[in-house]
C-alpha cells in the first residue's frame, strides 16, 4: 500500500493508500463522520461511513480532537463538490498523538491573539495558502533572474555603512567598532554588478522604525537587483516585467491557494498586462492638491496619498522623479533638473502601497563624494564605494522589492504580518 501526500491524490484515484495527517476540524452525524485533514501539502476531506468500518474506527473518528495526528487508510475518490476535487473514504485510523485543548478553535479570533500564537496559526488553511504563494514568489524570482542572466549574490547582514538613513539603523558592536544590521544590500550589490554585470540578492533587511501600520515590518526580506550599463528607463522595464511575471506565476501555480483566499483571479490577470502607467512626482502632487490633499511639493507621500493615486489606475503605477531632498545620496540627478532624481516607486493597486523603490545610481566620482559629505556621512567609510566610480564607472541602476509587501498584495490579505512565517523578536516588540 502506498503512502502518499494529500496534494498527490489526483494521481491515485481509486487506489487504497495511507496518509499521515492532522485533524484540522471535524463534524459528524449519526451515520457519517467528516474529517478535515491536512498534511502540510494540502487540505481535504476524509469520510468515515459507520456501516462500512469497524465500530471502534467510527467511534474514534467522532472523538478525535482538533490537531491530533493520525495515520488514515482508505481509498481516494473524486469530489466534485470541493474546490480541491478529491477526498479519501477512510477504512482505518491509527492515532499518533492526541492534541488536547488546541487554542485556535474554528471560531473568530483577533489578530493580536493569532500573532501571539503564530507558531500554531500557520496551520490554518488561509495561512497555509499564503505561505504557498510566498514560496511561489520566491521560486519565480530565481527563475526570472536566472533566465535573464543575473547572478545571485549574498551581501553581508552586518554592515559598517548606511545605504539609506542612519536614524533607521539597528546598531551593534563588531568587536571594537560600530556595526549595523543591514538596511539594504544595495551598496554591496553595486560592487557585485561592476564585477558580474547583472546581479540580484535576496535576504533579510532591518528598519529601526516603530510602526504599527498594516504595511510595515521591522524585519523583512528584500529582492535587490543591480544592473551595469543600464539606465533608469531600462530598469523600469525590468521592474514591471518582474512583477508581472510573479503575478502570472502565482496564477499558474497557486490556483487552489487563491481559491482558499477568495482572491479575484480576473483582477490579478489585469496586473500581468504591460506596460504599467507612469506619472511624475509633479503630476502626483498636482493630482492630490486638486483633490483637497494637504500636500506640498517636496514632501514624501504617505499611505492615504499612495492609495488615492493607485485608485486612478487598474494596475500598478510608477511615480517617477521624486525631489532630491527626500531621497538617498546615491541617486542620480535628473539631467534637466537639479531638484529631482532619476528614481521611481511602484505603487500597487487596491491600497497596498509601494512594492518597489529604485533608481539610476550616481556614477560620477566627484558628484557622489560631494553627496556623501552633504548627507553628513563619513567619507572614509565610503572609500570602497567611491572606488566603484574611480575604476571604470558605468551607468547602472537597481531597485528593491519587499517580499512580504508583495505577498500581502498578491494574496489579498489585510495585514502584512500574515506574510511572515514567524513573528521575529523585533516585530513582537513593535507589532
Amino acid at each position: 500500500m502506498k503512502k502518499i501526500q494529500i496534494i498527490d491524490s489526483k494521481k491515485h484515484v481509486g487506489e487504497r493508500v495511507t496518509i499521515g495527517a492532522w485533524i484540522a476540524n471535524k463534524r459528524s452525524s449519526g451515520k457519517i463522520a467528516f474529517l478535515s485533514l491536512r498534511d502540510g501539502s494540502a487540505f481535504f476531506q476524509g469520510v468515515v461511513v459507520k456501516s462500512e468500518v469497524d465500530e471502534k474506527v467510527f467511534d474514534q473518528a467522532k472523538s478525535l480532537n482538533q490537531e491530533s495526528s493520525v495515520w488514515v487508510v482508505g481509498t481516494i475518490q473524486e469530489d466534485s463538490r470541493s474546490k480541491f476535487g478529491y477526498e479519501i473514504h477512510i477504512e482505518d485510523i491509527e492515532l499518533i498523538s492526541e492534541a488536547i485543548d488546541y487554542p485556535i478553535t474554528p471560531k473568530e479570533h483577533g489578530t493580536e491573539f493569532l500573532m501571539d500564537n503564530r507558531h500554531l496559526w500557520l496551520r490554518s488553511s488561509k495561512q497555509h495558502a499564503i505561505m504557498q504563494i510566498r514560496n511561489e514568489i520566491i521560486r519565480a524570482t530565481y527563475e526570472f533572474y536566472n533566465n535573464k542572466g543575473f547572478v545571485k549574490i549574498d551581501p553581508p547582514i552586518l554592515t559598517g555603512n548606511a545605504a539609506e538613513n542612519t536614524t533607521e539603523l539597528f546598531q551593534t558592536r563588531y568587536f571594537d567598532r560600530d556595526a549595523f544590521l543591514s538596511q539594504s544590500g544595495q551598496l554591496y550589490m553595486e560592487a557585485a554588478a561592476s564585477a558580474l554585470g547583472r546581479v540580484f540578492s535576496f535576504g533579510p533587511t532591518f528598519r529601526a522604525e516603530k510602526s504599527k501600520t498594516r504595511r510595515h515590518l521591522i524585519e523583512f526580506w528584500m529582492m535587490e537587483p543591480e544592473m551595469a550599463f543600464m539606465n533608469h528607463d531600462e530598469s523600469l522595464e525590468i521592474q514591471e516585467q518582474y512583477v508581472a511575471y510573479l503575478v502570472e506565476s502565482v496564477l499558474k501555480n497557486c490556483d487552489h491557494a487563491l481559491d482558499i483566499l477568495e482572491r479575484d483571479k480576473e483582477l490579478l490577470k489585469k496586473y500581468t498586462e504591460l506596460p504599467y502607467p507612469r506619472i511624475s512626482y509633479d503630476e502626483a502632487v498636482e493630482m492630490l492638491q486638486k483633490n483637497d490633499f494637504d500636500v506640498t511639493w517636496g514632501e514624501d507621500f504617505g499611505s492615504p496619498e499612495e492609495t488615492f493615486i493607485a485608485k486612478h489606475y487598474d494596475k500598478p503605477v510608477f511615480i517617477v522623479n521624486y525631489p532630491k531632498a527626500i531621497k538617498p545620496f546615491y541617486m542620480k540627478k535628473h539631467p534637466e533638473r537639479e531638484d529631482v532624481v532619476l528614481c521611481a516607486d511602484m505603487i500597487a493597486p487596491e491600497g497596498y502601497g509601494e512594492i518597489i523603490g529604485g533608481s539610476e545610481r550616481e556614477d560620477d566620482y566627484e558628484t557622489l563624494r560631494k553627496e556623501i559629505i552633504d548627507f553628513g556621512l563619513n567619507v572614509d567609510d565610503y572609500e570602497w564605494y567611491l572606488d566603484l566610480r574611480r575604476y571604470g564607472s558605468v551607468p547602472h541602476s537597481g531597485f528593491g522589492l519587499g517580499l512580504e509587501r508583495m505577498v500581502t498584495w498578491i494574496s489579498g490579505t489585510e495585514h502584512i504580518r500574515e506574510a511572515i512565517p514567524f513573528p521575529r523578536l523585533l516585530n513582537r516588540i513593535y507589532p
Side-chain angles (χ1 to χ4, degrees), residues 208-222:
E209 300 175 80
K210 295 181 181 180
S211 174
K212 290 190 177 183
T213 75
R214 71 183 182 92
R215 292 184 176 183
H216 294 91
L217 292 170
I218 287 170
E219 178 189 346
F220 58 97
W221 284 67
M222 184 127 77

Side-chain angles (χ1 to χ4, degrees), residues 39-50:
D39 70 346
S41 70
F43 289 68
F44 79 161
Q45 180 173 263
V47 181
V48 188
V49 180
K50 185 176 183 179

Side-chain angles (χ1 to χ4, degrees), residues 211-427:
S211 174
K212 290 190 177 183
T213 75
R214 71 183 182 92
R215 292 184 176 183
H216 294 91
L217 292 170
I218 287 170
E219 178 189 346
F220 58 97
W221 284 67
M222 184 127 77
M223 284 79 158
E224 295 185 278
E226 287 290 329
M227 301 153 287
F229 303 103
M230 185 169 289
N231 64 36
H232 179 51
D233 288 333
E234 293 168 328
S235 175
L236 294 184
E237 292 180 12
I238 293 288
Q239 292 173 45
E240 63 187 4
Q241 290 169 14
Y242 172 43
V243 170
Y245 190 84
L246 295 182
V247 176
E248 191 173 305
S249 293
V250 170
L251 282 166
K252 179 181 178 182
N253 299 315
C254 298
D255 186 69
H256 184 58
L258 293 170
D259 282 341
I260 289 172
L261 295 169
E262 299 179 339
R263 190 64 165 117
D264 187 336
K265 297 175 194 173
E266 293 304 313
L267 189 60
L268 287 178
K269 287 177 184 177
K270 289 183 180 179
Y271 305 153
T272 66
E273 299 170 2
L274 299 180
Y276 293 158
R278 293 151 168 75
I279 64 168
S280 69
Y281 173 86
D282 296 346
E283 291 169 329
V285 169
E286 184 179 352
M287 177 193 300
L288 293 166
Q289 289 175 341
K290 285 181 178 179
N291 288 274
D292 300 323
F293 279 83
D294 184 17
V295 174
T296 302
W297 195 98
E299 298 176 346
D300 205 354
F301 300 139
S303 297
E305 291 80 13
E306 289 179 347
T307 299
F308 181 83
I309 292 167
K311 284 182 178 178
H312 284 69
Y313 304 92
D314 59 358
K315 58 181 74 171
V317 56
F318 286 108
I319 303 176
V320 303
N321 302 337
Y322 279 76
K324 174 180 177 293
I326 61 173
K327 288 298 181 179
F329 69 89
Y330 52 75
M331 293 189 177
K332 189 174 184 65
K333 292 179 184 176
H334 194 283
E336 299 174 2
R337 291 178 58 178
E338 286 287 317
D339 58 342
V340 299
V341 289
L342 294 173
C343 70
D345 289 347
M346 184 191 290
I347 309 301
E350 305 174 75
Y352 284 94
E354 177 193 340
I355 50 175
I356 285 182
S359 72
E360 186 167 340
R361 315 313 192 188
E362 181 53 65
D363 54 84
D364 179 75
Y365 171 83
E366 293 296 343
T367 302
L368 181 60
R369 189 175 189 280
K370 183 178 182 301
E371 290 300 321
I372 291 171
I373 293 171
D374 289 347
F375 265 73
L377 301 172
N378 186 343
V379 175
D380 292 341
D381 290 339
Y382 291 86
E383 284 299 331
W384 71 270
Y385 186 58
L386 288 166
D387 277 349
L388 307 180
R389 278 70 178 174
R390 284 191 186 96
Y391 308 116
S393 184
V394 299
H396 61 289
S397 300
F399 60 92
L401 176 143
L403 172 64
E404 285 80 7
R405 185 82 63 87
M406 190 71 181
V407 173
T408 305
W409 168 48
I410 293 183
S411 61
T413 57
E414 271 191 34
H415 206 294
I416 194 169
R417 286 184 292 172
E418 295 186 56
I420 59 174
F422 296 101
R424 283 78 167 191
L425 173 62
L426 298 178
N427 288 325

